[in-house]
Amino acid sequence: MLSGKRILLIVSGGIAAYKVLDLIRRLRERGAAVTPVMTRAAAEFVTPLSLSALAGEKVFRDLFDLTDEAEMGHIQLSRSADLVVVAPATADLMARMAGGHADDLASTLLLATDTPVLVAPAMNVRMWQHPATRRNLATLRGDGVRVVGPNEGDMACGEFGPGRMAEVPEILAAIEAALADGPLKGRRIVVTSGPTHEPIDPVRYIANRSSGAQGTAIARALAGLGAEVVFVTGPATVAPPAGVQVVRVETAREMLEAVQAALPAEAAVFAAAVADWRVANAAGQKMKKDGSGRAPALEFAENPDILATVAGLSKGRPRLVVGFAAETHDVEAHARAKRGRKGCDWIVANDVSPATGIMGGAENEVTLITAEGAETWPRLTKHEVAQRLAQRIAEALA
Ligand code: C5P
């Protein structure tokens, strides 16, 4: 899949830069050609010699290197690739990208390029969470830049949280997805999946039996058609697919926040089984028996409806909003009503009455409700349902 592809790899200055040495090896193993570019700060973390030795190509470092300008101008350098990958992408380089700066070779290439760009952010937790970085990230996404990671974990600076650069296999999968040719190439789609967990106290929660299988299959199918998928998942039992940007959440409110942060997008598919209610009086400490024999009374508050919220956006609403409806009787009538109530474009309805064996199973039998009417699909595997739905989404966005 990567064979013959040209990757322009921009390395900026962060401790995660050591991982790009392995990334270069894996890319070359797969037949890709890698042209490395490094910022001044990157040279503090990895040497130009190791980059060029592994890439088997010259490392470009300076905007004013006249020999390089003669051989290959920066415009040409920025456009000769199939994909520009920025790894690690520091907070500073992301800010300069978002601001359209062109004050060194890396930023100039990024401004001059008409090639798709993928960034793998890596920075301190606070820097990642800073409103300035949030704004820059939203700007970059709006400009069509793809993002892989960062992951949560221990940081070199001793802190814990999101900010670790994605691992090499994840970056490879994101590169493959970015280069995948398909009808959804360059289209950003948000998919929610899995159950939510609503805390009762720090150790207990209310959940549901959603495995995340259908949502995962949909995300995989969309990525397979070339879409840039942001996969917002609750604690599911099936692993998220490769080649998508995974955002892990627990509660409905976190899921809504993650979906809003992932917008703008051209389409959104809400396959998650979101809890309608959360515990309003969740305890800050583990609840204990008090010896009185009385059980604690839980109070509930309604969760935000993520589907209805996004479908109702007056500004920045995805062009296509797809919801799901799990019903046990009168499937079509209920699903039609739900489509109207939630304000979404399509509803994928299925019969989850126990006799069907669909809940938790590998197969699904769905009715697709659109403005044009209802169509019932034959019993298919969840994988096949996902393929069909992805194909339909591609047609709708075409
Ligand atoms: O109202 P009901 O839960 O049956 O609607 C199902 C659809 O709404 C699904 O697409 C589900 O992902 C979405 N939903 C949501 N937020 C909620 C509840 C449901 O996005 N709080």
Side-chain angles (χ1 to χ4, degrees):
M1 178 161 193
L2 293 180
S3 175
K5 299 290 186 194
R6 297 200 61 86
I7 312 281
L8 185 73
L9 177 64
I10 297 178
V11 185
S12 63
I15 186 69
Y18 78 91
K19 291 188 196 168
V20 306
L21 299 177
D22 189 38
L23 177 65
I24 295 172
R25 295 197 54 205
R26 303 297 155 226
L27 285 168
R28 293 202 62 205
E29 251 171 33
R30 287 163 175 73
V34 182
T35 305
V37 171
M38 64 200 306
T39 64
R40 200 176 297 274
E44 305 287 334
F45 295 92
V46 283
T47 72
L49 187 59
S50 18
L51 285 182
S52 66
L54 289 170
E57 289 199 30
K58 179 178 167 55
V59 178
F60 293 87
R61 299 172 66 186
D62 197 340
L63 187 54
F64 300 107
D65 187 331
L66 289 179
T67 330
D68 293 340
E69 276 300 310
E71 282 170 7
M72 182 189 254
H74 62 267
I75 303 287
Q76 196 192 335
L77 180 59
S78 74
R79 296 187 186 166
S80 58
D82 296 300
L83 182 69
V84 179
V85 178
V86 187
T90 59
D92 178 66
L93 183 53
M94 286 173 60
R96 289 190 292 131
M97 287 172 76
H101 291 223
D103 52 3
D104 67 353
L105 181 58
S107 56
T108 303
L109 293 175
L110 286 159
L111 193 63
T113 194
D114 57 0
T115 303
V117 177
L118 170 73
V119 299
M123 66 196 71
N124 165 275
V125 183
R126 301 263 172 275
M127 291 166 81
W128 175 250
Q129 289 168 340
H130 196 284
T133 305
R134 306 275 95 204
R135 277 198 302 276
N136 293 332
L137 186 70
T139 302
L140 293 175
R141 286 214 169 110
D143 291 346
V145 170
R146 289 167 170 257
V147 184
V148 55
N151 293 339
E152 195 165 275
D154 286 319
M155 314 268 301
C157 54
E159 288 186 57
F160 179 90
R164 281 172 61 92
M165 189 170 82
E167 298 301 327
V168 170
E170 294 168 314
I171 299 177
L172 282 171
I175 290 173
E176 285 182 345
L179 289 171
D181 260 325
L184 288 173
K185 190 172 169 63
R187 312 270 190 176
R188 187 181 171 78
I189 303 183
V190 179
V191 178
T192 70
S193 181
T196 61
H197 284 182
E198 306 294 337
I200 296 170
D201 69 16
V203 297
R204 305 183 178 94
Y205 55 83
I206 293 176
N208 61 65
R209 295 188 195 280
S210 165
S211 64
Q214 188 64 80
T216 301
I218 291 167
R220 183 179 288 121
L222 290 167
L225 295 183
E228 182 201 339
V229 177
V230 183
F231 184 63
V232 181
T233 177
T237 49
V238 300
V244 306
Q245 189 190 328
V246 182
V247 183
R248 292 176 202 276
V249 297
E250 298 225 330
T251 66
R253 287 190 292 179
E254 287 168 7
M255 188 172 275
L256 174 61
E257 222 171 89
V259 167
Q260 284 167 333
L263 297 177
E266 298 208 35
V269 181
F270 295 96
V274 184
D276 289 328
W277 308 93
R278 66 175 176 277
V279 180
N281 58 343
Q285 291 179 324
K286 187 181 169 196
M287 296 188 341
K288 303 247 185 244
K289 286 187 273 193
D290 63 5
S292 70
R294 277 196 309 271
L298 296 182
E299 286 164 25
F300 291 89
E302 199 170 328
N303 268 331
D305 191 311
I306 305 165
L307 169 62
T309 304
V310 172
L313 287 176
S314 53
K315 215 178 118 220
R317 181 192 191 273
R319 271 207 283 147
L320 181 67
V321 177
V322 183
F324 277 69
E327 308 287 351
T328 53
H329 58 282
D330 290 335
V331 176
E332 196 181 315
H334 282 126
R336 274 181 198 278
K338 187 167 288 178
R339 180 178 170 274
R341 210 165 51 239
K342 302 249 187 180
C344 58
D345 303 295
W346 297 355
I347 283 273
V348 182
N350 55 9
D351 187 346
V352 293
S353 51
T356 63
I358 278 169
M359 202 76 161
E363 294 187 331
N364 210 346
E365 202 174 312
V366 310
T367 302
L368 179 67
I369 317 268
T370 69
E372 280 77 52
E375 45 181 276
T376 298
W377 295 355
R379 197 177 178 100
L380 301 164
T381 64
K382 287 183 176 170
H383 166 74
E384 288 163 333
V385 168
Q387 298 280 338
R388 273 202 189 204
L389 186 65
Q391 199 54 52
R392 289 297 292 270
I393 291 172
E395 285 161 21
L397 295 181

